[in-house]
């Protein structure tokens, strides 16, 4: 395929993608488009921070105790503070990144999107993990908002009150298995038990969320709330039955 023909095919494909949402929508809203603009990345790994790209954009501020309450100087909207928060060590590792004017988002490990709040973004870190942070500029562009089932399904999971299995992921941590033998392994076992218990709760919540998402996608907010209400009633009935059974079994 010749270069002009290949270019024409790409242009047509882009136009079709942009036109597709408008063909099935009737409501206007705004979303965020985020092209990469800062040629710098920060990578945290076991307490060490490396800078990739334009090193001149990054200035280490220092390590600050978690509860020190020291204020960070105002940047005038032209810089962002990146704070790697290690709760285990009770310390914030702070860096100042020159960003220029504008609104930015922090993208962690290429997927997780953090909004920059008050000129700073806080990333919680753990030993044995690595976090790579880059920045993308946020620009508001008008688009068409979908109203179909797929859009409603996506909207539910974007706004849900509980991220699936977030509690069990928070509880599980195996980074201490080889620390302070055998205490590190004992602590790992404690975290594992808690993660399993929370995992069961997460699983039950996930089932309820799937049913609520289906109801929301097909029938809207009222149907979703009905699912939540029925789930809450079932939980209360099970709890009351368990308490009643426990009370009758006791001498």
């Amino acid at each position: 395929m010749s270069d002009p023909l290949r270019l024409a095919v790409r242009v047509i494909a882009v136009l079709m993608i942009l036109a597709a949402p408008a063909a099935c929508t009737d409501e206007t809203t705004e979303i965020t488009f985020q092209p990469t603009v800062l040629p710098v990345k920060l990578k945290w790994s076991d307490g060490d921070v490396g800078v990739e790209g334009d090193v001149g954009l990054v200035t280490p501020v220092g390590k600050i105790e978690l509860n020190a309450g020291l204020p960070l100087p105002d940047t005038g909207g032209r810089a962002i503070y990146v704070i790697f928060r290690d709760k285990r060590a009770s310390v914030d590792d702070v860096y100042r990144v020159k960003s220029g004017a504008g609104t930015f988002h922090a993208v962690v490990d290429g997927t997780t999107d953090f909004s920059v709040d008050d000129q700073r973004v806080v990333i919680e870190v753990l030993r044995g993990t690595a976090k790579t942070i880059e920045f993308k500029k946020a620009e508001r562009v008008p688009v068409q908002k979908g109203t179909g089932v797929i859009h409603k399904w996506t909207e539910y999971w974007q706004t849900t009150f509980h991220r699936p299995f977030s509690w069990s992921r928070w509880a599980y941590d195996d980074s201490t298995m080889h620390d302070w033998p055998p205490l590190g392994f004992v602590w790992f076992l404690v975290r594992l038990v808690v993660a399993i218990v929370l995992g069961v709760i997460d699983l039950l919540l996930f089932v309820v969320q799937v049913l609520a998402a289906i109801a929301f996608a097909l029938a809207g907010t009222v149907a979703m709330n009905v699912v939540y209400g029925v789930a809450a009633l079932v939980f209360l009935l099970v709890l009351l039955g368990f308490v009643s059974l426990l009370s009758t079994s006791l001498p």
Side-chain angles (χ1 to χ4, degrees), residues 29 62 77 87 99 104-105 116 127 134 139 143 145-146 164-165 176 183 190 195 202 205 208 240 247:
T29 185
K87 288 187 175 180
S99 61
F104 289 83
H105 286 219
V116 177
R127 298 284 170 171
E134 58 183 325
E139 298 177 1
V143 297
K145 180 180 178 181
F165 299 99
T176 63
L183 296 180
V190 172
D202 273 335
L205 282 174
V208 173
L240 290 174
S247 62

Side-chain angles (χ1 to χ4, degrees), residues 48-245:
D48 296 323
V49 176
V51 180
E52 301 176 8
D54 192 344
V55 180
L57 294 178
V58 180
T59 303
V61 175
K63 295 183 182 293
I64 302 174
E65 290 186 12
L66 200 58
N67 298 318
L70 297 177
L72 295 174
D74 186 80
T75 66
R78 296 191 172 274
I80 296 169
Y81 287 110
V82 178
I83 302 172
F84 298 100
R85 177 156 293 169
D86 188 346
K87 288 187 175 180
R88 235 176 241 178
S90 297
V91 67
D92 284 343
D93 200 356
V94 184
Y95 289 78
R96 189 177 188 271
V97 181
K98 295 179 182 177
S99 61
T103 303
F104 289 83
H105 286 219
V107 179
V108 180
D109 297 332
T111 55
T112 308
D113 192 346
F114 286 77
S115 293
V116 177
D117 183 26
D118 193 23
Q119 303 174 342
R120 68 188 67 188
V121 56
V122 179
I123 310 296
E124 293 192 4
V125 294
L126 290 173
R127 298 284 170 171
T129 64
K131 295 288 187 181
T132 301
I133 294 92
E134 58 183 325
F135 297 91
K136 296 185 176 182
K137 189 174 179 64
E139 298 177 1
R140 307 299 291 183
V141 294
V143 297
Q144 297 293 323
K145 180 180 178 181
T147 56
V149 172
I150 295 178
H151 171 80
K152 299 284 284 183
W153 173 271
T154 303
E155 180 184 347
Y156 173 85
W157 290 110
Q158 289 176 341
T159 58
T160 184
F161 67 95
H162 178 69
R163 297 297 176 188
F165 299 99
S166 59
W167 289 346
S168 55
R169 286 197 299 268
W170 167 80
Y172 179 81
D173 179 21
D174 57 9
S175 63
T176 63
M177 285 188 64
H178 305 292
D179 297 339
W180 326 296
L183 296 180
F185 184 72
V186 172
W187 180 241
F188 158 71
L189 291 179
V190 172
R191 296 287 294 264
L192 179 61
V193 171
V194 174
I196 293 174
V197 173
L198 292 178
V200 173
I201 299 175
D202 273 335
L203 180 60
L204 295 175
L205 282 174
F206 179 68
V207 172
V208 173
Q209 286 180 293
V210 170
L211 296 176
I214 295 173
F216 179 72
L218 296 177
T221 304
V222 173
M224 177 188 70
N225 291 336
V226 169
V227 171
Y228 286 150
V230 171
L233 290 175
V234 170
F235 171 76
L236 289 175
L237 289 175
V238 172
L239 182 62
L240 290 174
F242 176 77
V243 171
S244 176
L245 180 64

